[in-house]
């Protein structure tokens, strides 16, 4: 992508409305724009990151055996009247009427709708277990939308829903998502700790929030410090192994970890003082087991091996991609801007032409840009006629992991500089060596 033809509206000044660093940097880097309170557009640079986050989430959902579908954002109130949540959900639900005066709503979550899909076609235990997910916009009319897309009114959610014949089966489904979440957050460069949590309007008794420790987090959390170094399940984890996944779950729940709503002071005080971590955190995921809470009132049942009908045991599993992007920034930035983990960086490499219009600089940058693009890298080429200082500041701000800098003096020697955004380390090398370093 040539920057001169791209759309990346950088802000020079710090936006006044931004209270936390991730919000400030997302606005300054031209990643998002607020359209009305708590409702955002994702501009091209932000969209690239969001797509990469979603690709990792999707990959891990698929690995764990979940199946992707797509459900609408607008839902009929009737379904919610069946489950009893239409009145219970309160003011957070945006209620709308269509032209026939039929009550509709902008979905805050999809337990009812997916249960309706399930009951319309699954009739036998032989079709279980089943886990259906989508990555879709949601709307919650939050009292205090804030911190940009961290807590917005319209936001994206990966929501998965599992169906099993028995409670034991449902626990295995829960453990699959538990392990998939550990892997997902790890691949996003984050350390997320599962903590016992309140189930709120989703319901049920068993739930875990996945929390990233961060001073700007909205949740108050308490846990054993050893979680920070626990091993993440590997890529070859067997998601069909009941014992294997139970062992992962048991290990990751063997020490104290709870959000403030579930906090048990006495149990926490039993943890040796030096091992106690009391901190603030960002909730990036939340998983639930709620048994037959929706299947019973909505009549979602299957025929079991005993020939009788059984209400299915369900769970639901949410991740917030539009919250994860700022959460990653909270965890990875410096005074100059964002430092993206390679897995979600909007571009792999930025090529900086320090003197656009200079024949040798232009030719060198074109050569590198073409070679790296051909090798499958996402390359941003800063071919604008901005000052070199402005270009360096922009490259640092948008946090692309590698900068290849072509200035007249180095280029005259057939060389360029390669800068690592994270460490700031710079190396001068031949043009060929710079290309070869990034062409596998
Ligand atoms: C689980 C999937 C649910 O809604 N039903 C379907 C369950 N869970 S949840 O905890 O309420 O939300 C899941 C995740 O969505 C993100 N999230 C938000 N992100 C940005 N702005 C918001 N206002 C917002 N509300 C929820 C969080 O990552 C949460 O863990």
């Amino acid at each position: 992508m040539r920057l001169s033809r791209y759309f990346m509206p950088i802000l020079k000044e710090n936006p006044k409305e931004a209270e936390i660093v991730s919000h400030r940097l997302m606005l300054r880097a031209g990643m998002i724009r607020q359209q009305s309170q708590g409702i955002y557009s994702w501009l091209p640079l932000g969209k690239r990151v969001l797509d990469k986050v979603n690709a990792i989430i999707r990959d891990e959902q698929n690995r764990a055996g979940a199946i992707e579908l797509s459900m609408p954002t607008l839902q009929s109130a009737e379904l919610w009247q069946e489950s009893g949540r239409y009145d219970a959900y309160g003011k957070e639900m945006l209620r709308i009427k269509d032209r026939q005066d039929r009550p509709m709503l902008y979905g805050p979550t999809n337990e009812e709708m997916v249960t309706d899909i399930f009951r319309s076609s699954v009739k036998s235990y032989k079709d279980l277990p089943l886990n259906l997910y989508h990555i879709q916009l949601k709307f919650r009319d939050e009292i205090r939308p804030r911190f940009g897309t961290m807590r917005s009114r319209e936001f994206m959610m990966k929501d998965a829903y599992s169906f099993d014949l028995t409670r034991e089966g449902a626990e295995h489904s829960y453990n699959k998502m538990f392990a998939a979440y550990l892997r997902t957050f790890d691949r996003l460069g984050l350390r997320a700790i599962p903590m016992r949590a309140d189930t709120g309007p989703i319901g049920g008794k068993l739930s875990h929030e996945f929390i990233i420790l961060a001073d700007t987090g909205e949740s108050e959390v308490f846990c054993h410090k050893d979680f920070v170094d626990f091993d993440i399940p590997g890529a070859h984890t067997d998601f069909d192994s009941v014992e294997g996944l139970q062992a992962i779950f048991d290990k990751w729940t063997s020490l104290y970890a709870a959000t403030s709503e579930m906090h048990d002071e006495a149990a926490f005080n039993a943890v040796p003082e030096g091992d106690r971590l009391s901190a603030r955190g960002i909730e990036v995921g939340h998983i639930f087991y709620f048994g037959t809470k929706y299947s019973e009132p909505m009549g979602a049942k299957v025929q079991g091996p005993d020939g009788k009908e059984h209400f299915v045991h369900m769970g639901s599993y949410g991740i917030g991609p539009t919250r994860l992007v700022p959460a990653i920034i909270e965890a990875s930035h410096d005074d100059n801007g964002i430092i993206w983990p390679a897995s979600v960086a909007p571009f792999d490499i930025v090529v900086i032409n320090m003197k656009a219009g200079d024949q040798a600089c232009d030719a060198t940058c074109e050569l590198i840009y073409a070679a790296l693009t051909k090798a499958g890298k996402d390359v941003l080429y800063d071919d604008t006629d901005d000052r070199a200082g402005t270009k360096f500041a922009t490259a640092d701000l948008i946090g692309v992991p590698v900068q290849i800098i072509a200035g007249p003096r180095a280029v005259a020697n057939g060389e360029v500089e390669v800068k690592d955004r994270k460490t700031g380390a710079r190396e001068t090398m031949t043009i060929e060596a710079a290309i070869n370093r990034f062409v596998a």
Side-chain angles (χ1 to χ4, degrees), residues 8 10 25-26 28-31 45 49 328-329 332-334 336-350 352 380 391-403 419-423:
M8 198 173 81
I10 299 280
L25 290 173
M26 286 176 80
R28 284 205 46 216
M31 293 177 63
L45 191 77
V49 179
I328 292 168
I329 297 175
S332 184
H333 66 270
D334 64 15
N336 297 329
I338 303 166
I339 303 173
W340 292 116
S343 60
V344 297
F347 295 97
D348 302 316
I349 298 162
V350 52
I352 302 175
L380 179 66
K391 293 189 178 191
F392 295 148
T394 298
D396 279 357
L397 173 65
I398 66 172
V400 175
V402 175
Q403 303 172 9
K419 177 179 155 186
D420 180 304
R421 170 64 183 91
K422 187 170 179 181
T423 63

Side-chain angles (χ1 to χ4, degrees), residues 108-111 140 142 149-152 155-157 159-161 202 283-286 288 316-320 322-323:
T109 175
N110 284 52
E111 279 80 6
R140 291 181 186 173
E142 302 266 353
T149 64
M150 189 77 91
R151 176 173 298 281
S152 50
F155 60 95
M156 196 168 270
M157 196 195 288
D159 37 330
Y161 303 87
I202 305 295
E283 177 206 324
V284 286
H286 197 166
F288 302 80
S316 73
Y317 315 90
I319 293 185
T322 47
R323 175 177 290 179

Side-chain angles (χ1 to χ4, degrees), residues 115-146:
T115 304
D116 178 57
I117 293 173
F118 178 90
R119 71 179 171 187
S120 69
S121 44
V122 182
K123 306 288 178 205
S124 162
Y125 76 96
K126 291 181 188 156
D127 297 325
L128 302 183
L130 184 65
N131 183 328
L132 300 173
Y133 79 97
H134 69 164
I135 301 179
Q136 176 63 289
L137 291 172
K138 303 279 180 282
F139 193 95
R140 291 181 186 173
D141 206 349
E142 302 266 353
I143 296 186
R144 277 194 78 190
R146 58 181 192 153

Side-chain angles (χ1 to χ4, degrees), residues 184-358:
T184 303
F185 298 125
D186 184 61
R187 285 182 61 188
L188 296 170
L190 295 169
R191 169 55 49 141
I193 302 173
M195 305 203 185
R196 288 303 304 271
D198 185 24
T199 58
I202 305 295
K205 289 209 177 62
L206 172 63
S207 98
H208 287 90
E209 281 181 11
F210 286 74
I211 303 274
I212 290 165
L213 302 180
D215 294 340
T216 47
E218 291 188 281
S219 316
E220 201 186 352
V221 299
F222 306 86
C223 69
H224 196 292
K225 74 168 177 34
D226 283 2
F227 277 119
V228 175
D229 299 313
F230 267 23
D231 286 341
I232 301 294
H236 298 296
T237 300
D238 178 1
F239 282 84
D240 290 327
S241 163
V242 174
E243 301 76 29
L245 286 197
Q246 191 60 42
I248 292 171
F249 176 85
D250 289 346
K251 178 167 180 231
W252 277 88
T253 52
S254 60
L255 298 173
Y256 189 86
T259 60
S260 57
E261 295 89 4
M262 300 297 279
H263 185 49
D264 174 348
E265 195 72 37
F268 189 53
N269 286 338
V271 175
E273 200 173 345
D275 293 338
R276 284 180 220 155
L277 207 62
S278 149
R280 300 203 69 80
I282 302 169
E283 177 206 324
V284 286
H286 197 166
I287 61 176
F288 302 80
Y289 165 70
F290 40 71
T292 58
K293 172 173 171 172
Y294 299 91
S295 59
E296 271 197 57
M298 295 186 67
K301 49 195 174 188
V302 293
Q303 193 170 53
D306 55 4
K308 295 193 187 125
E309 304 240 282
H310 301 265
F311 291 115
V312 286
H313 286 252
M314 292 174 56
S316 73
Y317 315 90
I319 293 185
T322 47
R323 175 177 290 179
L324 269 168
V325 174
I328 292 168
I329 297 175
E330 288 294 325
S332 184
H333 66 270
D334 64 15
D335 289 347
N336 297 329
I338 303 166
I339 303 173
W340 292 116
S343 60
V344 297
F347 295 97
D348 302 316
I349 298 162
V350 52
V351 176
I352 302 175
N353 187 341
M354 280 173 69
K355 200 168 180 200
D358 174 277

